[in-house]
PDB file of all heavy atoms in Angstrom:
ATOM      1  N   PRO D 274       0.633  -6.353   1.850  1.00  0.00           N
ATOM      2  CA  PRO D 274       0.748  -6.903   0.480  1.00  0.00           C
ATOM      3  C   PRO D 274       1.691  -6.101  -0.391  1.00  0.00           C
ATOM      4  O   PRO D 274       1.304  -5.526  -1.412  1.00  0.00           O
ATOM      5  CB  PRO D 274      -0.682  -6.831  -0.021  1.00  0.00           C
ATOM      6  CG  PRO D 274      -1.265  -5.667   0.675  1.00  0.00           C
ATOM      7  CD  PRO D 274      -0.637  -5.631   2.052  1.00  0.00           C
ATOM      8  N   TYR D 275       2.958  -6.033  -0.005  1.00  0.00           N
ATOM      9  CA  TYR D 275       3.943  -5.227  -0.769  1.00  0.00           C
ATOM     10  C   TYR D 275       4.017  -5.625  -2.231  1.00  0.00           C
ATOM     11  O   TYR D 275       4.007  -4.760  -3.120  1.00  0.00           O
ATOM     12  CB  TYR D 275       5.344  -5.338  -0.144  1.00  0.00           C
ATOM     13  CG  TYR D 275       5.458  -4.673   1.216  1.00  0.00           C
ATOM     14  CD1 TYR D 275       5.758  -5.413   2.320  1.00  0.00           C
ATOM     15  CD2 TYR D 275       5.315  -3.287   1.334  1.00  0.00           C
ATOM     16  CE1 TYR D 275       5.882  -4.788   3.569  1.00  0.00           C
ATOM     17  CE2 TYR D 275       5.456  -2.694   2.579  1.00  0.00           C
ATOM     18  CZ  TYR D 275       5.757  -3.446   3.692  1.00  0.00           C
ATOM     19  OH  TYR D 275       5.870  -2.827   4.898  1.00  0.00           O
ATOM     20  N   ASN D 276       4.055  -6.940  -2.507  1.00  0.00           N
ATOM     21  CA  ASN D 276       4.151  -7.393  -3.904  1.00  0.00           C
ATOM     22  C   ASN D 276       2.944  -6.973  -4.731  1.00  0.00           C
ATOM     23  O   ASN D 276       3.053  -6.585  -5.879  1.00  0.00           O
ATOM     24  CB  ASN D 276       4.333  -8.912  -3.975  1.00  0.00           C
ATOM     25  CG  ASN D 276       5.728  -9.333  -3.527  1.00  0.00           C
ATOM     26  OD1 ASN D 276       6.666  -8.562  -3.555  1.00  0.00           O
ATOM     27  ND2 ASN D 276       5.833 -10.574  -3.064  1.00  0.00           N
ATOM     28  N   SER D 277       1.753  -7.099  -4.126  1.00  0.00           N
ATOM     29  CA  SER D 277       0.519  -6.698  -4.836  1.00  0.00           C
ATOM     30  C   SER D 277       0.529  -5.206  -5.151  1.00  0.00           C
ATOM     31  O   SER D 277       0.087  -4.783  -6.226  1.00  0.00           O
ATOM     32  CB  SER D 277      -0.699  -7.050  -4.005  1.00  0.00           C
ATOM     33  OG  SER D 277      -0.780  -8.445  -3.819  1.00  0.00           O
ATOM     34  N   ILE D 278       1.006  -4.409  -4.219  1.00  0.00           N
ATOM     35  CA  ILE D 278       1.044  -2.966  -4.401  1.00  0.00           C
ATOM     36  C   ILE D 278       2.047  -2.623  -5.521  1.00  0.00           C
ATOM     37  O   ILE D 278       1.748  -1.812  -6.408  1.00  0.00           O
ATOM     38  CB  ILE D 278       1.422  -2.247  -3.095  1.00  0.00           C
ATOM     39  CG1 ILE D 278       0.276  -2.388  -2.076  1.00  0.00           C
ATOM     40  CG2 ILE D 278       1.720  -0.763  -3.370  1.00  0.00           C
ATOM     41  CD1 ILE D 278       0.620  -1.925  -0.685  1.00  0.00           C
ATOM     42  N   GLU D 279       3.221  -3.255  -5.529  1.00  0.00           N
ATOM     43  CA  GLU D 279       4.202  -3.048  -6.582  1.00  0.00           C
ATOM     44  C   GLU D 279       3.616  -3.370  -7.935  1.00  0.00           C
ATOM     45  O   GLU D 279       3.747  -2.584  -8.891  1.00  0.00           O
ATOM     46  CB  GLU D 279       5.470  -3.862  -6.309  1.00  0.00           C
ATOM     47  CG  GLU D 279       6.330  -3.298  -5.188  1.00  0.00           C
ATOM     48  CD  GLU D 279       7.559  -4.146  -4.913  1.00  0.00           C
ATOM     49  OE1 GLU D 279       7.628  -5.335  -5.333  1.00  0.00           O
ATOM     50  OE2 GLU D 279       8.464  -3.632  -4.263  1.00  0.00           O
ATOM     51  N   LYS D 280       2.955  -4.489  -8.048  1.00  0.00           N
ATOM     52  CA  LYS D 280       2.400  -4.939  -9.340  1.00  0.00           C
ATOM     53  C   LYS D 280       1.277  -3.975  -9.781  1.00  0.00           C
ATOM     54  O   LYS D 280       1.151  -3.674 -10.944  1.00  0.00           O
ATOM     55  CB  LYS D 280       1.857  -6.363  -9.222  1.00  0.00           C
ATOM     56  CG  LYS D 280       2.943  -7.400  -9.158  1.00  0.00           C
ATOM     57  CD  LYS D 280       2.383  -8.794  -8.985  1.00  0.00           C
ATOM     58  CE  LYS D 280       3.520  -9.789  -8.779  1.00  0.00           C
ATOM     59  NZ  LYS D 280       3.022 -11.110  -8.402  1.00  0.00           N
ATOM     60  N   ALA D 281       0.467  -3.503  -8.815  1.00  0.00           N
ATOM     61  CA  ALA D 281      -0.639  -2.592  -9.147  1.00  0.00           C
ATOM     62  C   ALA D 281      -0.096  -1.253  -9.671  1.00  0.00           C
ATOM     63  O   ALA D 281      -0.646  -0.695 -10.611  1.00  0.00           O
ATOM     64  CB  ALA D 281      -1.515  -2.376  -7.924  1.00  0.00           C
ATOM     65  N   PHE D 282       0.981  -0.766  -9.072  1.00  0.00           N
ATOM     66  CA  PHE D 282       1.601   0.491  -9.562  1.00  0.00           C
ATOM     67  C   PHE D 282       2.192   0.268 -10.957  1.00  0.00           C
ATOM     68  O   PHE D 282       2.049   1.118 -11.831  1.00  0.00           O
ATOM     69  CB  PHE D 282       2.676   0.998  -8.598  1.00  0.00           C
ATOM     70  CG  PHE D 282       2.140   2.010  -7.613  1.00  0.00           C
ATOM     71  CD1 PHE D 282       1.738   1.596  -6.344  1.00  0.00           C
ATOM     72  CD2 PHE D 282       2.037   3.335  -7.937  1.00  0.00           C
ATOM     73  CE1 PHE D 282       1.243   2.519  -5.445  1.00  0.00           C
ATOM     74  CE2 PHE D 282       1.556   4.277  -7.047  1.00  0.00           C
ATOM     75  CZ  PHE D 282       1.157   3.847  -5.775  1.00  0.00           C
ATOM     76  N   GLU D 283       2.894  -0.832 -11.154  1.00  0.00           N
ATOM     77  CA  GLU D 283       3.492  -1.106 -12.438  1.00  0.00           C
ATOM     78  C   GLU D 283       2.471  -1.274 -13.542  1.00  0.00           C
ATOM     79  O   GLU D 283       2.721  -0.914 -14.708  1.00  0.00           O
ATOM     80  CB  GLU D 283       4.412  -2.326 -12.365  1.00  0.00           C
ATOM     81  CG  GLU D 283       5.693  -2.067 -11.604  1.00  0.00           C
ATOM     82  CD  GLU D 283       6.596  -3.271 -11.473  1.00  0.00           C
ATOM     83  OE1 GLU D 283       6.190  -4.382 -11.859  1.00  0.00           O
ATOM     84  OE2 GLU D 283       7.708  -3.077 -10.980  1.00  0.00           O
ATOM     85  N   SER D 284       1.280  -1.820 -13.223  1.00  0.00           N
ATOM     86  CA  SER D 284       0.266  -1.992 -14.226  1.00  0.00           C
ATOM     87  C   SER D 284      -0.763  -0.831 -14.240  1.00  0.00           C
ATOM     88  O   SER D 284      -1.749  -0.922 -14.932  1.00  0.00           O
ATOM     89  CB  SER D 284      -0.435  -3.323 -13.992  1.00  0.00           C
ATOM     90  OG  SER D 284      -1.099  -3.347 -12.768  1.00  0.00           O
ATOM     91  N   ASN D 285      -0.447   0.218 -13.458  1.00  0.00           N
ATOM     92  CA  ASN D 285      -1.320   1.410 -13.390  1.00  0.00           C
ATOM     93  C   ASN D 285      -2.771   1.019 -13.049  1.00  0.00           C
ATOM     94  O   ASN D 285      -3.701   1.404 -13.749  1.00  0.00           O
ATOM     95  CB  ASN D 285      -1.263   2.183 -14.720  1.00  0.00           C
ATOM     96  CG  ASN D 285       0.123   2.709 -14.977  1.00  0.00           C
ATOM     97  OD1 ASN D 285       0.508   3.745 -14.472  1.00  0.00           O
ATOM     98  ND2 ASN D 285       0.906   1.958 -15.770  1.00  0.00           N
ATOM     99  N   ASN D 286      -2.932   0.231 -11.986  1.00  0.00           N
ATOM    100  CA  ASN D 286      -4.246  -0.278 -11.600  1.00  0.00           C
ATOM    101  C   ASN D 286      -4.717   0.383 -10.318  1.00  0.00           C
ATOM    102  O   ASN D 286      -4.469  -0.096  -9.211  1.00  0.00           O
ATOM    103  CB  ASN D 286      -4.155  -1.804 -11.421  1.00  0.00           C
ATOM    104  CG  ASN D 286      -5.474  -2.429 -11.198  1.00  0.00           C
ATOM    105  OD1 ASN D 286      -6.472  -1.813 -10.786  1.00  0.00           O
ATOM    106  ND2 ASN D 286      -5.559  -3.742 -11.504  1.00  0.00           N
ATOM    107  N   PRO D 287      -5.429   1.527 -10.422  1.00  0.00           N
ATOM    108  CA  PRO D 287      -5.858   2.258  -9.223  1.00  0.00           C
ATOM    109  C   PRO D 287      -6.846   1.474  -8.370  1.00  0.00           C
ATOM    110  O   PRO D 287      -6.817   1.591  -7.142  1.00  0.00           O
ATOM    111  CB  PRO D 287      -6.455   3.515  -9.774  1.00  0.00           C
ATOM    112  CG  PRO D 287      -6.864   3.194 -11.164  1.00  0.00           C
ATOM    113  CD  PRO D 287      -5.890   2.190 -11.641  1.00  0.00           C
ATOM    114  N   LYS D 288      -7.738   0.706  -8.990  1.00  0.00           N
ATOM    115  CA  LYS D 288      -8.738  -0.040  -8.220  1.00  0.00           C
ATOM    116  C   LYS D 288      -8.112  -1.039  -7.291  1.00  0.00           C
ATOM    117  O   LYS D 288      -8.558  -1.264  -6.171  1.00  0.00           O
ATOM    118  CB  LYS D 288      -9.740  -0.713  -9.169  1.00  0.00           C
ATOM    119  CG  LYS D 288     -10.709   0.267  -9.799  1.00  0.00           C
ATOM    120  CD  LYS D 288     -11.718  -0.434 -10.650  1.00  0.00           C
ATOM    121  CE  LYS D 288     -12.635   0.602 -11.270  1.00  0.00           C
ATOM    122  NZ  LYS D 288     -13.660   0.004 -12.099  1.00  0.00           N
ATOM    123  N   GLU D 289      -7.046  -1.692  -7.771  1.00  0.00           N
ATOM    124  CA  GLU D 289      -6.366  -2.688  -6.912  1.00  0.00           C
ATOM    125  C   GLU D 289      -5.677  -2.023  -5.742  1.00  0.00           C
ATOM    126  O   GLU D 289      -5.726  -2.484  -4.638  1.00  0.00           O
ATOM    127  CB  GLU D 289      -5.356  -3.514  -7.739  1.00  0.00           C
ATOM    128  CG  GLU D 289      -4.823  -4.663  -6.958  1.00  0.00           C
ATOM    129  CD  GLU D 289      -3.988  -5.618  -7.817  1.00  0.00           C
ATOM    130  OE1 GLU D 289      -4.189  -5.669  -9.025  1.00  0.00           O
ATOM    131  OE2 GLU D 289      -3.114  -6.290  -7.228  1.00  0.00           O
ATOM    132  N   ILE D 290      -5.047  -0.861  -5.997  1.00  0.00           N
ATOM    133  CA  ILE D 290      -4.369  -0.143  -4.909  1.00  0.00           C
ATOM    134  C   ILE D 290      -5.401   0.313  -3.871  1.00  0.00           C
ATOM    135  O   ILE D 290      -5.233   0.073  -2.666  1.00  0.00           O
ATOM    136  CB  ILE D 290      -3.602   1.084  -5.477  1.00  0.00           C
ATOM    137  CG1 ILE D 290      -2.457   0.592  -6.392  1.00  0.00           C
ATOM    138  CG2 ILE D 290      -3.061   1.953  -4.310  1.00  0.00           C
ATOM    139  CD1 ILE D 290      -1.849   1.676  -7.230  1.00  0.00           C
ATOM    140  N   VAL D 291      -6.456   0.960  -4.323  1.00  0.00           N
ATOM    141  CA  VAL D 291      -7.484   1.472  -3.452  1.00  0.00           C
ATOM    142  C   VAL D 291      -8.194   0.351  -2.703  1.00  0.00           C
ATOM    143  O   VAL D 291      -8.579   0.492  -1.566  1.00  0.00           O
ATOM    144  CB  VAL D 291      -8.464   2.350  -4.249  1.00  0.00           C
ATOM    145  CG1 VAL D 291      -9.668   2.735  -3.452  1.00  0.00           C
ATOM    146  CG2 VAL D 291      -7.757   3.605  -4.756  1.00  0.00           C
ATOM    147  N   GLY D 292      -8.321  -0.781  -3.340  1.00  0.00           N
ATOM    148  CA  GLY D 292      -8.966  -1.939  -2.730  1.00  0.00           C
ATOM    149  C   GLY D 292      -8.228  -2.448  -1.512  1.00  0.00           C
ATOM    150  O   GLY D 292      -8.767  -3.165  -0.685  1.00  0.00           O
ATOM    151  N   MET D 293      -6.950  -2.094  -1.371  1.00  0.00           N
ATOM    152  CA  MET D 293      -6.149  -2.456  -0.196  1.00  0.00           C
ATOM    153  C   MET D 293      -6.192  -1.395   0.864  1.00  0.00           C
ATOM    154  O   MET D 293      -5.445  -1.442   1.813  1.00  0.00           O
ATOM    155  CB  MET D 293      -4.705  -2.734  -0.633  1.00  0.00           C
ATOM    156  CG  MET D 293      -4.552  -3.944  -1.537  1.00  0.00           C
ATOM    157  SD  MET D 293      -2.833  -4.184  -2.020  1.00  0.00           S
ATOM    158  CE  MET D 293      -2.934  -3.785  -3.763  1.00  0.00           C
ATOM    159  N   GLY D 294      -7.106  -0.409   0.712  1.00  0.00           N
ATOM    160  CA  GLY D 294      -7.171   0.697   1.622  1.00  0.00           C
ATOM    161  C   GLY D 294      -8.375   0.706   2.525  1.00  0.00           C
ATOM    162  O   GLY D 294      -9.278  -0.178   2.412  1.00  0.00           O
ATOM    163  N   LYS D 295      -8.389   1.673   3.430  1.00  0.00           N
ATOM    164  CA  LYS D 295      -9.540   1.891   4.277  1.00  0.00           C
ATOM    165  C   LYS D 295     -10.724   2.421   3.444  1.00  0.00           C
ATOM    166  O   LYS D 295     -10.540   2.743   2.257  1.00  0.00           O
ATOM    167  CB  LYS D 295      -9.190   2.925   5.358  1.00  0.00           C
ATOM    168  CG  LYS D 295      -8.131   2.450   6.348  1.00  0.00           C
ATOM    169  CD  LYS D 295      -7.686   3.531   7.322  1.00  0.00           C
ATOM    170  CE  LYS D 295      -8.823   4.330   7.912  1.00  0.00           C
ATOM    171  NZ  LYS D 295      -8.398   5.360   8.836  1.00  0.00           N
ATOM    172  N   THR D 296     -11.867   2.582   4.045  1.00  0.00           N
ATOM    173  CA  THR D 296     -13.035   3.069   3.303  1.00  0.00           C
ATOM    174  C   THR D 296     -12.821   4.532   2.891  1.00  0.00           C
ATOM    175  O   THR D 296     -13.310   4.970   1.887  1.00  0.00           O
ATOM    176  CB  THR D 296     -14.299   2.946   4.130  1.00  0.00           C
ATOM    177  OG1 THR D 296     -14.155   3.609   5.362  1.00  0.00           O
ATOM    178  CG2 THR D 296     -14.683   1.506   4.334  1.00  0.00           C
ATOM    179  N   LYS D 297     -12.047   5.308   3.667  1.00  0.00           N
ATOM    180  CA  LYS D 297     -11.638   6.669   3.335  1.00  0.00           C
ATOM    181  C   LYS D 297     -10.107   6.698   3.315  1.00  0.00           C
ATOM    182  O   LYS D 297      -9.469   6.271   4.268  1.00  0.00           O
ATOM    183  CB  LYS D 297     -12.152   7.685   4.371  1.00  0.00           C
ATOM    184  CG  LYS D 297     -13.655   7.773   4.457  1.00  0.00           C
ATOM    185  CD  LYS D 297     -14.199   8.669   3.390  1.00  0.00           C
ATOM    186  CE  LYS D 297     -15.705   8.896   3.588  1.00  0.00           C
ATOM    187  NZ  LYS D 297     -16.253   9.772   2.609  1.00  0.00           N
ATOM    188  N   ILE D 298      -9.563   7.223   2.248  1.00  0.00           N
ATOM    189  CA  ILE D 298      -8.096   7.263   2.064  1.00  0.00           C
ATOM    190  C   ILE D 298      -7.659   8.701   1.804  1.00  0.00           C
ATOM    191  O   ILE D 298      -8.258   9.387   0.984  1.00  0.00           O
ATOM    192  CB  ILE D 298      -7.690   6.385   0.861  1.00  0.00           C
ATOM    193  CG1 ILE D 298      -8.133   4.937   1.062  1.00  0.00           C
ATOM    194  CG2 ILE D 298      -6.164   6.428   0.675  1.00  0.00           C
ATOM    195  CD1 ILE D 298      -7.909   4.053  -0.147  1.00  0.00           C
ATOM    196  N   MET D 299      -6.632   9.115   2.520  1.00  0.00           N
ATOM    197  CA  MET D 299      -6.057  10.429   2.243  1.00  0.00           C
ATOM    198  C   MET D 299      -5.040  10.265   1.107  1.00  0.00           C
ATOM    199  O   MET D 299      -4.144   9.429   1.186  1.00  0.00           O
ATOM    200  CB  MET D 299      -5.352  11.015   3.454  1.00  0.00           C
ATOM    201  CG  MET D 299      -4.927  12.478   3.194  1.00  0.00           C
ATOM    202  SD  MET D 299      -3.817  13.145   4.407  1.00  0.00           S
ATOM    203  CE  MET D 299      -2.294  12.500   3.811  1.00  0.00           C
ATOM    204  N   ILE D 300      -5.233  11.046   0.069  1.00  0.00           N
ATOM    205  CA  ILE D 300      -4.307  11.014  -1.071  1.00  0.00           C
ATOM    206  C   ILE D 300      -3.752  12.399  -1.337  1.00  0.00           C
ATOM    207  O   ILE D 300      -4.490  13.377  -1.357  1.00  0.00           O
ATOM    208  CB  ILE D 300      -5.026  10.472  -2.344  1.00  0.00           C
ATOM    209  CG1 ILE D 300      -5.449   9.039  -2.124  1.00  0.00           C
ATOM    210  CG2 ILE D 300      -4.095  10.587  -3.577  1.00  0.00           C
ATOM    211  CD1 ILE D 300      -6.085   8.389  -3.325  1.00  0.00           C
ATOM    212  N   ASN D 301      -2.429  12.468  -1.477  1.00  0.00           N
ATOM    213  CA  ASN D 301      -1.756  13.705  -1.779  1.00  0.00           C
ATOM    214  C   ASN D 301      -0.922  13.430  -3.038  1.00  0.00           C
ATOM    215  O   ASN D 301       0.073  12.686  -2.981  1.00  0.00           O
ATOM    216  CB  ASN D 301      -0.865  14.152  -0.620  1.00  0.00           C
ATOM    217  CG  ASN D 301      -0.139  15.442  -0.881  1.00  0.00           C
ATOM    218  OD1 ASN D 301       0.067  15.833  -2.024  1.00  0.00           O
ATOM    219  ND2 ASN D 301       0.254  16.099   0.164  1.00  0.00           N
ATOM    220  N   ILE D 302      -1.294  14.008  -4.161  1.00  0.00           N
ATOM    221  CA  ILE D 302      -0.570  13.811  -5.399  1.00  0.00           C
ATOM    222  C   ILE D 302      -0.026  15.171  -5.838  1.00  0.00           C
ATOM    223  O   ILE D 302      -0.803  16.081  -6.166  1.00  0.00           O
ATOM    224  CB  ILE D 302      -1.433  13.206  -6.517  1.00  0.00           C
ATOM    225  CG1 ILE D 302      -1.886  11.817  -6.078  1.00  0.00           C
ATOM    226  CG2 ILE D 302      -0.680  13.120  -7.812  1.00  0.00           C
ATOM    227  CD1 ILE D 302      -2.780  11.111  -7.082  1.00  0.00           C
ATOM    228  N   LEU D 303       1.297  15.299  -5.813  1.00  0.00           N
ATOM    229  CA  LEU D 303       1.998  16.501  -6.231  1.00  0.00           C
ATOM    230  C   LEU D 303       1.450  17.735  -5.555  1.00  0.00           C
ATOM    231  O   LEU D 303       1.227  18.782  -6.180  1.00  0.00           O
ATOM    232  CB  LEU D 303       1.957  16.621  -7.751  1.00  0.00           C
ATOM    233  CG  LEU D 303       2.510  15.418  -8.524  1.00  0.00           C
ATOM    234  CD1 LEU D 303       2.319  15.590 -10.008  1.00  0.00           C
ATOM    235  CD2 LEU D 303       3.982  15.186  -8.188  1.00  0.00           C
TER     236      LEU D 303
END
Side-chain angles (χ1 to χ4, degrees):
Y275 291 116
N276 288 336
S277 297
I278 293 170
E279 286 178 342
K280 288 176 185 171
F282 266 95
E283 286 179 353
S284 63
N285 298 277
N286 188 337
K288 287 184 181 181
E289 189 171 334
I290 295 166
V291 170
M293 294 180 248
K295 294 173 46 180
T296 55
K297 297 278 186 178
I298 303 172
M299 188 192 82
I300 296 183
N301 181 336
I302 297 179
L303 305 174

